[in-house]
């Protein structure tokens, strides 16, 4: 709890839900086949009568989970590092690769639920903005290994408060 308190003290005043999640990060480069912002995102907004675009990712990030929510919606989960994960210190990441146990990263979380007005389907995006654990996350992604994430989910600004029960059902 000391770790959570230390990070929470640096966040804006507000209501947060703390969740300890087990995740399996996959590093995604902009424009690569796994890039949500190049493929699933634009496909969700596509309509023959209207031309909508989504800004592409301009930096590498990590994909976590993707699953259905109800009959029409899709849930996507992302880890957003504060710097380019390809530029991290390789020796430090290698040390975490060899460390015993499951490492834990700390992240500030926001849930965004969006969809175009001409469709029933919506995309739920849970964004983990990494506060600590950049090298741990990079090591886990490089090894295809799981990592724990202590997520401080913002309940005031994002839709987490309104969607707590549904988010709990999605994350299991």
């Amino acid at each position: 709890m000391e770790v959570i308190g230390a990070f929470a003290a640096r966040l804006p005043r507000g209501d947060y839900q703390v969740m300890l999640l087990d995740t399996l990060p996959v590093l995604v480069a902009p424009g690569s086949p796994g890039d949500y912002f190049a493929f699933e995102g634009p496909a969700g907004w596509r309509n023959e009568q209207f031309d909508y675009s989504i800004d592409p990712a301009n930096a590498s990030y990590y994909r976590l989970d993707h699953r259905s929510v109800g009959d029409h919606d899709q849930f996507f989960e992302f880890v957003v590092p504060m710097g380019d994960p390809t530029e991290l210190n390789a020796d430090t990441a290698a040390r975490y690769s060899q460390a015993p146990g499951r490492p834990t990263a700390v992240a500030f979380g926001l849930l965004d639920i969006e969809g175009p007005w001409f469709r029933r389907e919506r995309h739920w995006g849970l964004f983990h903005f990494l506060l600590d654990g950049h090298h741990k996350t990079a090591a886990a992604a490089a090894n295809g290994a799981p990592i724990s994430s202590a997520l401080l989910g913002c309940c005031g600004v994002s839709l987490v408060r309104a969607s707590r029960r549904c988010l709990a059902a999605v994350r299991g």
Side-chain angles (χ1 to χ4, degrees), residues 1 28 30 48 104 109 118 124 126 130 134 143 147 154 161-162:
M1 226 32 201
V28 175
E48 294 76 34
T104 301
F118 51 81
W124 297 43
L126 181 57
L130 272 182
H134 289 78
N143 294 323
I147 185 171
C154 181
R161 172 178 282 146

Side-chain angles (χ1 to χ4, degrees), residues 4-166:
I4 299 301
F7 283 99
R10 294 183 175 358
L11 293 174
R13 191 172 296 187
D15 184 19
Y16 296 90
Q17 180 175 354
V18 179
M19 298 176 273
L20 184 61
L21 307 173
D22 291 325
T23 64
L24 186 62
V26 175
L27 183 63
V28 175
S32 69
D35 184 3
Y36 169 87
F37 301 97
F39 297 100
E40 292 108 332
W45 290 82
R46 193 165 292 126
N47 182 309
E48 294 76 34
Q49 298 174 358
F50 305 99
D51 185 24
Y52 287 95
S53 64
I54 285 187
D55 293 332
N58 59 4
S60 296
Y61 62 95
Y62 300 96
R63 290 279 303 256
L64 298 179
D65 200 6
H66 171 223
R67 62 177 78 173
S68 295
V69 178
D71 293 334
H72 303 285
D73 296 352
Q74 295 292 310
F75 174 80
F76 299 90
E77 203 167 358
F78 312 95
V79 172
V80 183
M82 295 297 121
D84 188 344
T86 63
E87 295 179 3
L88 292 172
N89 183 294
D91 292 335
T92 303
R95 277 200 318 274
Y96 282 113
S97 291
Q98 305 304 319
R102 181 174 296 182
T104 301
V106 179
F108 170 75
L110 287 173
L111 177 65
D112 184 36
I113 302 173
E114 295 286 337
W117 61 268
F118 51 81
R119 286 202 156 145
R120 289 183 69 182
E121 299 84 13
R122 295 176 303 166
H123 285 189
W124 297 43
L126 181 57
F127 295 86
H128 301 231
F129 294 94
L130 272 182
L131 301 174
D132 182 56
H134 289 78
H135 289 90
K136 295 173 188 177
T137 304
N143 294 323
I147 185 171
S148 294
S149 176
L151 183 69
L152 298 143
C154 181
C155 297
V157 176
S158 76
L159 299 173
V160 172
R161 172 178 282 146
S163 307
R164 258 187 203 163
R165 279 179 277 139
C166 197

